[in-house]
């Protein structure tokens, strides 16, 4: 697909400011295309999982449709999350905002809360590890074998 | 946490959300990104599963776009 052209009347002279906007617009279009493709790829993988689980086949159009719907939903999600954070007088969106987003479905909320708790406890573990390491580095004898805590920085979390 | 094939990457999620923020200062913290990645994963899987169930209810093995269309309204209402 050709890069989108900024919508300006043909033949009009573009002022300096407009030219900047136009360039920004093209950049944004490219970003949108790339993101659409990324969403489509992941949607395909997930549909493949479900297909195997249920013993069905998904048509290409189906995968494309689900991908597009997901992409569009992100706009709602983003706006809501931003509003939730702003309402709490923050400029950084946190897990609390995501939980609020998931409030409509009980099972979804439960699932997200669970994941959030798992993340919180693995963050605690990471902090504990760092504390141990820094106090060990401060001259304490490291004779004892430090059993490595299971690293959660795995592909699943990425 | 179970290892699954698919899943949204953290950077993708961040860019997806940032695309629609109205305020230039809005950021998303790491945990929130991971949770959103999970949420999106659930969304896609739910859409796919419901469409599949619809197709199966019609005695079909191939899930087509009409099946998605049929389950879409309830999916959106249930979800957010």
């Amino acid at each position: 697909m050709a890069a989108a052209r900024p919508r300006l009347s043909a033949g009009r002279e573009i002022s300096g400011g407009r030219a900047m906007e136009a360039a920004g617009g093209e950049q944004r279009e490219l970003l949108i295309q790339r993101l659409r493709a990324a969403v489509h790829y992941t949607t395909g993988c997930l549909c493949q999982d479900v297909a195997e689980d249920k013993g069905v086949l998904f048509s290409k159009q189906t995968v494309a449709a689900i991908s597009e719907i997901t992409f569009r939903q992100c706009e709602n999600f983003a706006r809501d999350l931003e509003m939730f954070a702003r309402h709490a007088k923050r400029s950084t969106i946190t897990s609390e905002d995501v939980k609020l987003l998931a409030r409509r479905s009980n099972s979804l909320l439960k699932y997200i809360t669970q994941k959030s708790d798992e993340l919180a406890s693995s963050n605690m573990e990471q902090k504990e590890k760092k504390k141990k390491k820094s106090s060990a580095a401060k001259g304490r004898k490291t004779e004892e074998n430090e059993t490595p805590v299971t690293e959660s920085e795995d592909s699943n979390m990425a | 946490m179970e290892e699954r094939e698919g899943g949204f990457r953290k950077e993708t999620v961040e860019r997806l959300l940032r695309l629609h923020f109205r305020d230039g200062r809005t950021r998303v913290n790491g945990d929130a990104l991971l949770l959103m990645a999970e949420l999106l994963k659930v969304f896609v899987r739910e859409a796919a599963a419901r469409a599949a169930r619809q197709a199966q209810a019609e005695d079909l093995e191939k899930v087509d776009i009409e099946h998605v269309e049929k389950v879409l309204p309830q999916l959106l209402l249930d979800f957010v």
Side-chain angles (χ1 to χ4, degrees):
Chain A
M1 207 178 132
R5 289 256 152 231
R7 271 161 219 152
L8 298 163
S9 321
R12 287 256 184 93
E13 217 177 28
I14 304 174
S15 72
R18 284 275 186 90
M20 289 280 279
E21 267 177 43
E26 278 194 37
Q27 283 271 2
R28 190 180 164 87
E29 286 301 318
L30 282 171
L31 174 63
I32 289 174
Q33 291 317 312
R34 281 218 308 262
L35 288 174
R36 266 216 177 91
V39 172
H40 190 266
Y41 172 73
T42 305
T43 302
C45 292
L46 293 169
C47 284
Q48 184 56 39
D49 282 354
V50 176
E52 283 167 19
D53 281 350
K54 298 218 161 234
V56 293
L57 283 169
F58 286 95
S59 72
K60 280 191 186 160
Q61 296 92 332
T62 302
V63 175
I66 296 176
S67 162
E68 183 64 19
I69 292 163
T70 306
F71 185 81
R72 292 197 194 174
Q73 273 303 105
C74 285
E75 177 162 2
N76 293 340
F77 294 157
R79 299 257 167 108
D80 284 355
L81 288 169
E82 190 176 37
M83 296 245 165
F84 296 157
R86 164 174 278 174
H87 184 66
K89 303 208 186 354
R90 282 185 272 105
S91 54
T92 302
I93 293 165
T94 66
S95 323
E96 293 308 302
D97 302 317
V98 180
K99 282 187 215 170
L100 198 53
L101 190 68
R103 70 198 179 287
R104 288 259 157 77
S105 156
N106 282 336
S107 50
L108 178 65
L109 179 58
K110 199 171 164 192
Y111 180 77
I112 293 294
T113 304
Q114 195 181 303
K115 291 288 175 198
S116 174
D117 292 342
E118 283 172 24
L119 282 174
S121 64
S122 95
N123 287 344
M124 292 279 278
E125 280 177 24
Q126 295 285 328
K127 282 189 181 163
E128 295 294 307
K129 254 178 78 181
K130 281 186 180 166
K131 276 189 189 165
K132 280 187 187 167
K133 276 191 177 165
S134 67
S135 52
K138 279 177 188 167
R140 254 216 255 148
K141 285 197 176 165
T142 36
E143 268 188 291
E144 48 170 10
N145 226 354
E146 268 187 28
T147 43
V149 182
T150 41
E151 294 275 292
S152 327
E153 280 156 81
D154 234 298
S155 54
N156 206 35
M157 298 285 263
Chain B
M1 264 190 252
E2 335 117 46
E3 290 289 329
R4 288 284 191 165
E5 246 194 63
F8 289 92
R9 290 171 70 228
K10 220 171 158 181
E11 306 96 278
T12 307
V13 178
E14 181 168 37
R15 289 193 188 143
L16 270 169
L17 296 176
R18 222 186 252 222
L19 191 64
H20 301 292
F21 289 155
R22 293 214 169 123
D23 190 336
R25 290 164 298 175
T26 307
R27 302 278 176 270
V28 195
N29 86 6
D31 282 1
L33 282 176
L34 292 170
L35 288 177
M36 277 309 294
E38 284 296 321
L39 192 131
L40 288 171
K41 186 161 107 179
V42 171
F43 184 80
V44 172
R45 293 182 63 95
E46 190 63 22
R50 289 189 190 195
R53 255 176 268 149
Q54 180 63 40
Q56 285 171 325
E58 295 174 20
D59 262 321
L60 297 165
E61 269 183 10
K62 191 166 189 210
V63 189
D64 252 308
I65 201 162
E66 321 90 74
H67 306 123
V68 178
E69 286 170 6
K70 283 180 187 165
V71 302
L72 185 59
Q74 195 59 49
L75 173 71
L76 294 179
L77 286 170
D78 287 344
F79 221 82
V80 188

